[in-house]
Amino acid sequence: MMNRFLVLAILCCWSISGTISVEASDSKPNVVLFFIDDLGWRDVGFMGSDFFETPHIDLLAQESMRFTSAYAAAPNCAPSRACLMSGQYTPRHGVYTVGDPARGNNRHRKLIPAKNKTVLADKFVTIADSLSKAGYHCASMGKWHLGQTPLTQGFQVNIAGNPSGSPRGGYFSPYRNPQLTDGVKGEYLTDRLTDEACKFIKANRKSPFFLYLTHYAVHTPLQAKQAEVKYFQSKPTGKLHQHVTYAAMIKSMDESVGRVLNTLKDLNLDQKTIVIFTSDNGGYGPATTMQPLRGSKGMLYEGGIRVPLLIKWPEVTKAGSSSEEPVINVDFYPSLMEMTGTPNPENYLLDGASLVSLLKDPQSKLKTRSLFWHFPAYLQKYQGMQQRFRTTPVSVIRQGDWKLLEFFEDGHQELYNTRLDISETMNLVNNHPEKAKALLQALHQWQKQVQAVIPAEPNPQYHSGS
């Protein structure tokens, strides 16, 4: 009897043509990665916004594991995306910042910054490369910002992705985007990308897919649908958040998440689809605040790199669970390989750690490790800031609750305990010199290991008194 059932099972998995049918590959989970642009740590309801509205994302949070100490691997768009896609820290791929590394007033920059790459070279094996090799159909919907196209790096579908870091024609059609046909006049970009994402899911519902929905929202220019703007204009502002147009953009982004998740449910795919929701860096300073975190996008303080993160893995993650374990977006690569049963690429280094053990048990801990950031460039200040730059060239290590920043212009260091002082107000270098020394040594060892470029050449145009 057992042999009979075994034969029947084998026959069911074998197609008439003599090849394994789609059911075999169908056992692999789908992956939907919502990668939101410039969404701050507290810009969603489940993280405590008192003005912005994100009911669909908040519902996803109730169904997911929430990470309260999740980080982007860089404080701005392109390098964070390069780290996510490659699974490697910035010194390995050389995408350190967006465009020109010498931002701000030339007379105020003490050093010549490191040369910056604006393209993630095809030699890097992306998440999509690995998943495509394993039989996944991969689509990039929205912002690419790592070169001409994602089609050379594992994706079979590209909607609206190109070198641009923001919508060239704004958020309303006509878009002036060669990778996106115009919709009816006035169509909203966030809505259009959602339409395309839902079409992709429906077209690929019978085979495993990876949907990288990488919204341009909520990046500048700050443009929203007028009805949503009017709605927030009539709503009392919060003590934390007040920006009406930004709130309206977030609302449209949240509705996009809801529509995609509902599409999965309507097609009975929700229980076989891994969903990740996160941001590429901290929020845009003039429009939002990450308080009690210090800083915003473009800064290596917590407000510039700590981001919201939800992961839903059906039948594995516990609904409403949370983890305080520090994680970073280079962890997504090895995590997704393990979650989908896909081998890590051969002879290719991944800097992150798989989060599977945490997803299975939120009380567990990863093996002791350090997280690193390397930003050998300048970013100009936002209007209204007192300091001259959002950041000067800097390298950072977080180890346990401790975080050390090493600034290259003058070599000064800042040491914070992120648990006792989440706002990074107390520099403890002089209070804990041995801890600072140990972290600096570990940071220098890592810099040497990854061959990080350390800016040291003086800028001949620098004038200290101007």
Side-chain angles (χ1 to χ4, degrees):
M1 184 67 71
M2 182 64 71
N3 288 339
R4 179 186 174 191
F5 285 138
L6 179 61
V7 170
L8 287 173
I10 293 173
L11 288 174
C12 287
C13 291
W14 197 263
S15 70
I16 295 174
S17 62
T19 58
I20 296 296
S21 68
V22 73
E23 282 79 8
S25 61
D26 229 12
S27 62
K28 286 180 173 289
N30 305 309
V31 178
V32 174
L33 171 53
F34 296 103
F35 204 50
I36 312 304
D37 199 349
D38 291 359
L39 186 73
W41 188 62
R42 300 203 65 187
D43 285 352
V44 285
F46 75 87
M47 290 302 294
S49 177
D50 57 4
F51 184 59
F52 307 147
E53 296 183 8
T54 55
H56 299 99
I57 299 168
D58 297 344
L59 179 59
L60 177 62
Q62 295 174 20
E63 301 172 344
S64 306
M65 178 177 289
R66 175 167 59 111
F67 290 82
T68 57
S69 297
Y71 291 95
N76 58 349
C77 310
S80 177
R81 291 159 190 274
C83 292
L84 169 73
M85 277 291 122
S86 69
Q88 296 184 351
Y89 283 123
T90 54
R92 298 197 193 276
H93 51 68
V95 182
Y96 289 119
T97 188
V98 175
D100 187 1
R103 301 274 199 95
N105 192 323
N106 188 35
R107 294 165 64 87
H108 296 158
R109 295 192 302 268
K110 292 184 179 180
L111 299 174
I112 302 295
K115 292 182 179 180
N116 182 56
K117 295 180 180 178
T118 58
V119 174
L120 181 67
D122 287 345
K123 69 178 182 180
F124 292 96
V125 183
T126 68
I127 292 176
D129 283 322
S130 291
L131 290 178
S132 290
K133 189 176 180 181
Y136 278 76
H137 200 55
C138 301
S140 176
M141 304 269 178
K143 179 170 171 173
W144 178 238
H145 206 200
L146 296 176
Q148 290 298 320
T149 176
L151 296 179
T152 63
Q153 294 183 306
F155 290 95
Q156 291 80 46
V157 176
N158 171 37
I159 302 293
N162 51 51
S164 180
S166 61
R168 292 173 178 173
Y171 280 90
F172 294 95
S173 181
Y175 299 116
R176 289 171 41 203
N177 184 326
Q179 287 69 43
L180 181 66
T181 58
D182 289 331
V184 297
K185 185 176 181 180
E187 178 187 68
Y188 194 58
L189 178 59
T190 302
D191 296 341
R192 171 63 178 282
L193 292 177
T194 310
D195 292 342
E196 298 290 347
C198 293
K199 289 179 186 177
F200 173 80
I201 292 172
K202 292 173 183 177
N204 291 276
R205 61 186 180 274
K206 292 185 178 181
S207 60
F209 61 80
F210 170 43
L211 171 59
Y212 177 49
L213 184 47
T214 168
H215 275 299
Y216 282 95
V218 289
H219 195 287
T220 54
L222 299 185
Q223 298 174 345
K225 293 183 287 187
Q226 193 57 37
E228 308 291 10
V229 172
K230 288 182 178 179
Y231 169 79
F232 283 102
Q233 285 175 335
S234 66
K235 177 181 176 178
T237 57
K239 293 182 179 179
L240 184 67
H241 296 134
Q242 301 90 27
H243 201 291
V244 168
T245 304
Y246 189 72
M249 294 180 75
I250 288 177
K251 189 173 188 295
S252 292
M253 179 273 296
D254 175 74
E255 290 172 351
S256 169
V257 171
R259 286 179 55 200
V260 170
L261 296 180
N262 284 334
T263 299
L264 293 173
K265 290 178 182 178
D266 292 344
L267 297 173
N268 295 317
L269 296 175
D270 55 315
Q271 291 305 306
K272 59 177 299 181
T273 302
I274 296 164
V275 177
I276 301 175
F277 175 89
T278 191
S279 174
D280 63 347
N281 46 247
Y284 174 59
T288 188
T289 177
M290 277 57 66
Q291 291 178 1
L293 303 186
R294 176 181 178 181
S296 60
K297 173 184 178 179
M299 304 173 77
L300 277 296
Y301 297 111
E302 295 291 281
I305 52 177
R306 198 184 284 214
V307 293
L309 172 61
L310 300 173
I311 300 180
K312 179 184 177 183
W313 186 6
E315 299 184 6
V316 178
T317 51
K318 182 180 178 181
S321 58
S322 64
S323 173
E324 296 181 352
E325 189 77 1
V327 301
I328 193 166
N329 68 11
V330 292
D331 294 334
F332 293 171
Y333 199 139
S335 301
L336 285 173
M337 295 303 100
E338 186 172 355
M339 294 161 80
T340 60
T342 302
N344 287 341
E346 293 183 8
N347 302 315
Y348 184 80
L349 182 65
L350 293 175
D351 282 321
S354 173
L355 305 180
V356 165
S357 61
L358 294 177
L359 296 170
K360 291 181 175 179
D361 178 9
Q363 302 304 315
S364 65
K365 299 289 183 182
L366 297 175
K367 291 182 179 179
T368 301
R369 64 168 180 165
S370 300
L371 304 182
F372 299 96
W373 293 262
H374 187 65
F375 196 84
Y378 289 86
L379 284 176
Q380 75 278 23
K381 66 179 181 179
Y382 286 132
Q383 187 174 0
M385 277 185 167
Q386 293 184 351
Q387 67 266 33
R388 290 173 172 173
F389 299 96
R390 273 177 284 163
T391 192
T392 59
V394 61
S395 219
V396 182
I397 178 174
R398 173 167 174 171
Q399 191 178 88
D401 294 331
W402 293 94
K403 178 181 173 185
L404 180 83
L405 298 89
E406 179 192 23
F407 292 90
F408 300 129
E409 280 197 336
D410 55 10
H412 94 270
Q413 303 156 32
E414 296 178 13
L415 176 68
Y416 302 102
N417 186 299
T418 58
R419 181 175 295 276
L420 300 178
D421 179 26
I422 195 173
S423 301
E424 296 172 293
T425 60
M426 298 177 288
N427 183 0
L428 301 175
V429 164
N430 295 329
N431 303 69
H432 297 272
E434 292 304 316
K435 173 59 70 173
K437 180 180 179 181
L439 288 177
L440 187 63
Q441 184 177 5
L443 180 58
H444 286 173
Q445 183 178 359
W446 174 80
Q447 291 169 352
K448 183 176 181 180
Q449 175 189 343
V450 299
Q451 298 181 323
V453 178
I454 310 297
E457 182 183 353
N459 175 18
Q461 304 300 318
Y462 172 70
H463 290 272
S464 59
S466 58

